[in-house]
Amino acid sequence: MAVNVGTAVAYLELDTSKFTSGFKSALKDLDSFKSKSSTFSQKFKGLSSAIGTVGSTLTKNVTVPLAGAGTALSAFAVQAEKATKKVTTYFGDTGEQAEKNGDIIKDVFSSGIPESMEEAADAIILVRQNIEDLNDADLATVSEQALVLEKTFGSDMSESIRGASSLMVNFGLDSQEAMDYLVAATENGLDKTHELGDNIAEYGQLWSQAGFSVSEMFSILESGLDSGAYNLDKVNDFVKEFTISLSDGRIEESINSFSEGTQQLFHEYKNGEATAKEVFFSVINDLETTMSKQEALTVASNTWSALGEDNALQVISALNDVGTAYDDVNGKAQEMIDNQTSGASGAIAELKNNVEILASEVGESLVPNVERLNEIVKDATEWFRGLNDEQKETAATVGTVVAVIGPLLLILSKVITAVVNIGKSIGTVLKFIGSLTGLTKVFAGIAAVFPTLASIGSSIASVFSTVGSVLASVGSAI
């Protein structure tokens, strides 16, 4: 359920001046009821007018705004609960972890990055699916960063998280280091074909086992793309084919085409004394510096079949160019977050989300009070016992209870007026009205449960104290 924060805040701004003046008018009408000089008809017209004024005042100045505020608070609380249950149910969390899920969701949502708590929950689920054993702070941070990658660059969030997980597993990085590399690579254009995360997830182990560092891997991928490779898959496939050719005999069959240095490294590799990375750089260097273009193309085609032709010599040669772009990427992910959340738009989004969090927590905190209020209402009067189950279950704030009072008093006003006009069944009606003195107890209970009504409670108490005593005396006299 979508809720407009501006509307919710507006509902909370009750017009207390109109509220107070309405009750003052009601007190004046009660004076005529109590006056000994008033006729029977005048007394009941005064009582009718007083109750009618109270009902109208409550309906216009309390029922409508508090019902709206109550609806808003309830909706925000429901959103928070729904998002929390989504994470908890997905992972089967219990105990302390189940309780913490709500806090983590609110932490992510408070950044202003996700548009809803459900979106924050979905991000958290993706991170926990792919990266295990993160503490709460890191879980929230990675979730926020993955969301910004998706919203800013169009990177698939699921693939980004799987890529980060691959970097952590295969290169021994922590979650923040992994996200820093992903953000740096994305900003440098490696995700222009929207396959970076997926490629890192698929080929990360290959690069690591071949002996490449994480910065070397990203530098080679960038060099390949910049030199004309169709996409990251082409570069990764070449490296994959190269490592396979080291062990399936293809390099060994054409080893005499390479320099003595490469031949020596290859033999050391076979004996476990050199890495695939070292042979890779030596072979690429030979293709680039010791052979003619035609010789290099021939060797590449014979060794790596059509892959060499498809990538072209300039792409293969460029893979030897390892720059320094990824030597220091510390803080790149946080820098991206800061850029995304800075300025007016970021501040407004953050404020909006934090208002919703506050509203949800207010709504959640009212649940025990609503249960107590239901008991008070049940004991006070049959009118409240007559509320249907749906109304009782959705009474998330005092507004939903007060919303019943105003219209109720308007109805009573019309009943009394009708009785005076037709002059029938006076005793029965007055006994019925006299039973409503319990309303005084209702409002006393409301004031006790909800201190926030203290500012208007004095006005309510003044009227109902008078109404209650008058009705009680009339009822007992019959």
Side-chain angles (χ1 to χ4, degrees):
M1 175 181 177
V3 179
N4 184 290
V5 175
T7 302
V9 173
Y11 274 134
L12 292 171
E13 296 177 350
L14 304 182
D15 190 340
T16 55
S17 62
K18 292 181 180 179
F19 186 88
T20 303
S21 64
F23 277 95
K24 287 181 178 179
S25 176
L27 289 170
K28 288 181 179 180
D29 289 329
L30 285 175
D31 288 338
S32 66
F33 182 90
K34 294 186 292 180
S35 175
K36 294 181 179 180
S37 62
S38 298
T39 65
F40 181 84
S41 177
Q42 288 173 333
K43 286 178 179 289
F44 276 88
K45 283 183 178 179
L47 177 61
S48 172
S49 178
I51 294 180
T53 300
V54 173
S56 178
T57 300
L58 286 172
T59 300
K60 292 178 180 178
N61 301 307
V62 178
T63 295
V64 173
L66 279 184
T71 300
L73 294 175
S74 297
F76 289 134
V78 168
Q79 287 177 2
E81 182 181 44
K82 184 178 179 182
T84 301
K85 284 184 176 179
K86 188 172 187 178
V87 176
T88 299
T89 302
Y90 190 94
F91 294 102
D93 293 328
T94 58
E96 183 180 355
Q97 183 58 52
E99 294 177 2
K100 289 195 299 182
N101 286 336
D103 293 334
I104 300 171
I105 290 171
K106 290 174 182 176
D107 190 10
V108 175
F109 187 61
S110 68
S111 68
I113 296 168
E115 296 179 6
S116 68
M117 291 193 191
E118 185 173 11
E119 186 177 28
D122 289 338
I124 290 169
I125 288 173
L126 279 175
V127 174
R128 284 186 60 183
Q129 274 181 325
N130 293 281
I131 304 177
E132 297 180 356
D133 301 324
L134 288 178
N135 61 44
D136 295 346
D138 288 341
L139 174 57
T141 298
V142 174
S143 299
E144 292 170 15
Q145 293 167 350
L147 278 166
V148 174
L149 273 175
E150 183 172 68
K151 290 176 179 289
T152 304
F153 298 98
S155 304
D156 182 273
M157 183 161 52
S158 176
E159 293 183 358
S160 295
I161 296 302
R162 290 195 300 112
S165 176
S166 176
L167 293 177
M168 294 173 67
V169 171
N170 294 304
F171 294 96
L173 307 182
D174 62 34
S175 61
Q176 194 53 66
E177 290 171 333
M179 292 304 297
D180 283 339
Y181 274 107
L182 276 180
V183 170
T186 301
E187 292 178 342
N188 289 341
L190 266 66
D191 197 36
K192 61 185 178 182
T193 54
H194 299 303
E195 57 176 343
L196 176 61
D198 183 61
N199 266 244
I200 297 303
E202 181 178 355
Y203 295 102
Q205 184 178 25
L206 169 71
W207 288 89
S208 176
Q209 289 177 344
F212 293 95
S213 69
V214 63
S215 60
E216 289 172 334
M217 176 187 71
F218 280 113
S219 291
I220 293 170
L221 289 173
E222 185 171 333
S223 295
L225 279 183
D226 290 346
S227 62
Y230 180 72
N231 55 24
L232 288 179
D233 257 329
K234 294 298 183 183
V235 182
N236 280 305
D237 282 343
F238 173 74
V239 177
K240 179 180 179 180
E241 281 300 307
F242 178 85
T243 57
I244 293 174
S245 69
L246 285 174
S247 57
D248 67 3
R250 281 179 286 167
I251 289 288
E252 189 166 18
E253 289 176 2
S254 58
I255 192 64
N256 291 331
S257 299
F258 297 98
S259 67
E260 291 184 3
T262 297
Q263 293 179 37
Q264 180 64 33
L265 275 174
F266 176 70
H267 290 303
E268 291 176 359
Y269 169 78
K270 289 180 64 177
N271 294 328
E273 299 170 353
T275 65
K277 178 188 79 171
E278 292 173 307
V279 181
F280 174 87
F281 282 133
S282 187
V283 166
I284 298 300
N285 184 66
D286 286 352
L287 292 174
E288 186 178 12
T289 62
T290 67
M291 303 178 188
S292 67
K293 183 177 181 179
Q294 186 57 52
E295 288 174 332
L297 283 172
T298 300
V299 170
S301 296
N302 290 340
T303 307
W304 302 293
S305 187
L307 189 63
E309 297 175 6
D310 188 46
N311 279 271
L313 183 60
Q314 66 178 16
V315 175
I316 297 176
S317 299
L319 302 185
N320 198 37
D321 300 331
V322 179
T324 60
Y326 298 93
D327 287 353
D328 183 11
V329 298
N330 184 47
K332 282 290 185 179
Q334 185 58 48
E335 183 181 300
M336 176 190 67
I337 292 288
D338 293 341
N339 290 337
Q340 174 71 16
T341 57
S342 63
S345 60
I348 291 172
E350 186 173 345
L351 175 62
K352 168 187 171 295
N353 287 10
N354 278 288
V355 168
E356 291 191 20
I357 290 173
L358 175 60
S360 72
E361 292 180 353
V362 171
E364 291 167 2
S365 69
L366 290 178
V367 173
N369 290 331
V370 170
E371 294 173 353
R372 292 169 59 193
L373 184 59
N374 283 337
E375 290 301 316
I376 294 171
V377 171
K378 181 178 179 180
D379 294 338
T381 174
E382 284 294 331
W383 282 100
F384 290 100
R385 285 202 295 267
L387 290 175
N388 60 45
D389 291 339
E390 181 179 356
Q391 289 171 313
K392 289 178 181 178
E393 291 173 1
T394 58
T397 68
V398 66
T400 54
V401 177
V402 176
V404 179
I405 304 296
L408 170 60
L409 293 183
L410 283 173
I411 293 171
L412 292 181
S413 170
K414 297 183 188 309
V415 171
I416 295 172
T417 301
V419 169
V420 172
N421 289 338
I422 64 175
K424 295 181 179 179
S425 304
I426 293 177
T428 303
V429 172
L430 288 181
K431 287 180 180 178
F432 172 70
I433 294 173
S435 69
L436 295 180
T437 56
L439 289 175
T440 304
K441 297 180 181 179
V442 174
F443 277 88
I446 291 174
V449 176
F450 296 97
T452 56
L453 289 178
S455 62
I456 60 175
S458 58
S459 297
I460 296 176
S462 297
V463 173
F464 278 96
S465 175
T466 306
V467 172
S469 60
V470 170
L471 292 178
S473 62
V474 172
S476 62
I478 297 176

